[in-house]
Amino acid sequence: MNSVLAYIPSPPQGVWQLGPFPLRAYALFIILGIVVAIWWGERRWRERGGQPGAVLDVAMFAVPFGLVGGRIYHVATDWQKYFGAGKHPVEALYIWQGGLGIWGAVFFGAIGAWIGCRMYKIPLPALGDAVAPAVLLAQAIGRLGNYFNQELYGRATDLPWGLEIYERFDAETGARDMMNGVSTGRVLEVVQPTFLYELVWNVLVVIALVLLDKRYKIGHGRLFALYVAGYSFGRFFVELLRSDEATHILGIRINSFTSALVFLGAMAYFALATKGRETPAQLQPDGEPRPWPWQFAALRAAGAADNAAAAPAAEATAVDVTKKPDSAAAEGDSTDSGEAAAVADDTAEKQADAAAQPTKSAAKKS
């Protein structure tokens, strides 16, 4: 009985009708995640020395590209849901019904971000480092939309934290509609809440990214690589718990296959990319376009040149700081010189008075 009472209930519905307009929880959480990512990413970018408003400018390119790319990946890897006998291909465009592949969203979103960075002359790797924790937090928020849609869950389980999946029906027609309908309260099955596992993992990786970045001053796209690697690592194991219909490659779910490849690529970039972090001057939009992210030798050369250019400024600052004792000494020297001059003046006056004393006496006698 205690185990049954501990099961996690699903929301009774994920769509609410406001007159002729449907209000979808999935869309609301996607929008909320985007807002949080832009707000926090902008804040982190300014803290690194970047110009205000840059993240929002680039997001105008990255977000649309990411949404389209996420849908393309989902349709391409789950094409059997939309094409074939009895299917409706037009539903491939119904993004509000769920189905955004994170790999397509990140890949196409990065293309959009690259276009925006080229237009505004902002180094893409540095911007990626600034927004990496914010983007992953947005993914965690978006998983709540899957919860309301009753999707992305795992195999049946009797664990105390199992997720109850309810049967839903259209309130007007009475037709069974698991996505848009309203729950009858009847539990179809209790399953692994894989959406929750991924949400918790994402939050843990966000915390790790922030702490590592603060401790080691990571830059040149390496923090973004850690975000990709960290997410891929967790997603690989989450996929092993899922039982919903999916495309397989060599008997492996395609998302697990993709996670492993992306993880290896991200770790390779982290190992080969330029160490350290960009200076605030390097983040300004008046610099030269940087090499492509995969041009490791060119990136290292550019990083070394930037550090060499920034060295004289750092030395000048150090000299200014060390000049303070010299200035104080100079002030002391000038004070000592003034005191010596005053003493010399007094001595000269006394000598003059002594020399004039006989003259005064002779004048009195006469």
Side-chain angles (χ1 to χ4, degrees):
M1 177 63 69
N2 291 337
S3 177
V4 172
L5 292 177
Y7 288 153
I8 302 173
S10 289
Q13 63 191 102
V15 183
W16 296 265
Q17 288 295 139
L18 299 179
F21 303 102
L23 181 63
R24 301 179 182 276
Y26 182 82
L28 290 178
F29 283 111
I30 292 294
I31 294 172
L32 177 61
I34 292 173
V35 171
V36 170
I38 293 175
W39 172 79
W40 191 21
E42 175 71 22
R43 182 174 177 179
R44 284 176 50 82
W45 177 251
R46 292 200 307 267
E47 289 173 352
R48 287 170 173 254
Q51 287 193 341
V55 172
L56 179 59
D57 291 337
V58 175
M60 299 301 292
F61 295 88
V63 171
F65 272 73
L67 292 175
V68 172
R71 189 60 176 180
I72 289 175
Y73 180 89
H74 168 73
V75 174
T77 55
D78 291 320
W79 59 269
Q80 64 275 7
K81 295 181 179 180
Y82 306 99
F83 305 99
K87 303 298 182 180
H88 304 283
V90 70
E91 292 183 357
L93 303 176
Y94 295 172
I95 191 173
W96 55 86
Q97 291 188 356
L100 289 176
I102 185 59
W103 308 119
V106 172
F107 180 75
F108 280 84
I111 293 176
W114 174 79
I115 294 173
C117 286
R118 285 281 168 167
M119 177 172 291
Y120 294 107
K121 295 184 178 180
I122 298 171
L124 176 61
L127 188 75
D129 292 331
V131 303
V135 170
L136 188 53
L137 181 59
Q139 290 177 223
I141 294 172
R143 284 295 171 233
L144 293 173
N146 301 130
Y147 172 54
F148 277 84
N149 275 3
Q150 292 193 135
E151 59 184 357
L152 296 188
Y153 51 80
R155 295 187 293 271
T157 183
D158 58 358
L159 291 171
W161 56 84
L163 175 68
E164 294 179 336
I165 299 299
Y166 299 149
E167 195 171 23
R168 290 176 176 178
F169 291 89
D170 187 291
E172 295 182 359
T173 65
R176 192 169 186 266
D177 190 346
M178 296 295 291
M179 182 69 67
N180 303 307
V182 179
S183 170
T184 62
R186 177 173 175 266
V187 178
L188 293 178
E189 56 181 336
V190 179
V191 297
Q192 292 268 11
T194 49
F195 85 91
L196 181 61
Y197 298 160
E198 186 173 327
L199 187 158
V200 172
W201 175 254
N202 288 353
V203 172
L204 292 176
V205 175
V206 167
I207 295 173
L209 290 175
V210 172
L211 294 178
L212 288 172
D213 189 40
K214 184 177 181 180
R215 173 66 177 82
Y216 296 104
K217 306 296 182 184
I218 302 174
H220 300 284
R222 299 173 74 233
L223 189 70
F224 189 86
L226 284 181
Y227 141 62
V228 174
Y231 174 77
S232 302
F233 183 84
R235 182 62 183 268
F236 177 86
F237 293 100
V238 168
E239 284 292 324
L240 298 180
L241 299 174
R242 291 176 58 180
S243 60
D244 55 321
E245 185 179 351
T247 303
H248 289 72
I249 298 178
L250 301 177
I252 302 175
R253 290 175 64 94
I254 190 170
N255 282 333
S256 292
F257 194 84
T258 306
S259 297
L261 292 178
V262 172
F263 173 81
L264 294 176
M267 292 307 298
Y269 181 93
F270 178 80
L272 297 173
T274 306
K275 306 301 187 291
R277 180 187 289 181
E278 298 87 346
T279 63
Q282 294 172 250
L283 306 184
Q284 305 312 310
D286 55 353
E288 293 295 327
R290 294 183 62 81
W292 292 86
W294 54 81
Q295 294 177 309
F296 297 113
L299 282 170
R300 284 195 293 270
D306 291 335
N307 292 334
E315 292 177 0
T317 303
V319 170
D320 290 341
V321 173
T322 57
K323 278 184 178 179
K324 289 183 179 180
D326 295 341
S327 300
E331 291 177 1
D333 292 343
S334 62
T335 302
D336 294 341
S337 299
E339 292 177 353
V343 171
D345 291 342
D346 291 341
T347 303
E349 289 180 2
K350 290 179 180 179
Q351 291 175 351
D353 291 342
Q357 190 65 32
T359 306
K360 292 181 181 178
S361 300
K364 288 181 178 178
K365 290 180 180 180
S366 61

